[in-house]
């Protein structure tokens, strides 16, 4: 499976947060899966950190890439084809970062790993919470 982690899932995974469902944790750890973190998640973390809404042990532009590499998660760049998906995406979710993750999943055939129920309304595969 090719997995795209929602930002909160990545943060829960790297911190060992108990809110991360076991099935998702196992899916991320499964060496048969390709696991990605979007540069959009780094952008979101920087914005939220600067607003004081996301405390981290280091600035996100340093901390997140180190953690991504430590956990052998690939980086997914934001490309023009993914952004173009936004033109046909229904306005289900108000969060622009989450909408862009959906666009990337659509463009690259990825399964989104999230507990955000609003994302489940989009026509992309979602990793089951079980």
């Amino acid at each position: 499976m090719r997995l795209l982690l929602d930002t909160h899932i990545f943060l829960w995974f790297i911190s060992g947060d108990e809110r991360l469902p076991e099935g998702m944790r196992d899916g991320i750890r499964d060496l048969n899966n390709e696991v990605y973190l979007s540069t959009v998640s780094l952008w979101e973390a920087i914005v939220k950190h600067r607003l004081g809404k996301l405390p981290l042990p280091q600035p996100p532009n340093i901390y997140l890439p180190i953690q991504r590499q430590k956990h052998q998660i690939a980086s997914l760049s934001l490309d023009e084809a993914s952004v173009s998906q936004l033109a046909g995406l229904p306005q289900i979710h108000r969060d622009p970062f989450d909408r862009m993750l959906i666009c990337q999943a659509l463009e690259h055939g990825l399964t989104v790993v999230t507990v955000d129920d609003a994302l489940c309304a989009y026509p992309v595969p979602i990793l089951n919470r079980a």
Side-chain angles (χ1 to χ4, degrees), residues 47-117:
V47 168
K48 289 184 178 180
H49 184 73
R50 292 195 69 181
L51 293 172
K53 295 181 178 183
L54 180 61
L56 294 170
Q58 294 177 292
N61 59 308
I62 296 169
Y63 183 67
L64 269 61
I66 289 171
Q67 292 299 312
R68 183 186 56 72
Q69 291 171 0
K70 176 183 174 183
H71 293 280
Q72 301 179 353
I73 295 172
S75 178
L76 180 65
S77 297
L78 182 58
D79 57 273
E80 184 176 347
S82 293
V83 174
S84 294
Q85 290 281 345
L86 192 57
L89 196 67
Q91 292 285 337
I92 297 169
H93 202 301
R94 296 181 60 183
D95 185 312
F97 300 110
D98 285 341
R99 286 197 315 268
M100 197 51 59
L101 293 179
I102 293 297
C103 289
Q104 288 183 294
L106 287 167
E107 182 61 30
H108 297 285
L110 302 169
T111 297
V112 178
V113 183
T114 188
V115 296
D116 185 340
D117 290 334

Side-chain angles (χ1 to χ4, degrees), residues 11-28:
L11 293 170
W12 290 354
F13 181 74
I14 64 173
S15 67
D17 195 304
E18 293 181 7
R19 291 176 286 181
L20 181 64
E22 185 177 344
M24 290 181 178
R25 184 174 46 254
D26 292 346
I28 296 167

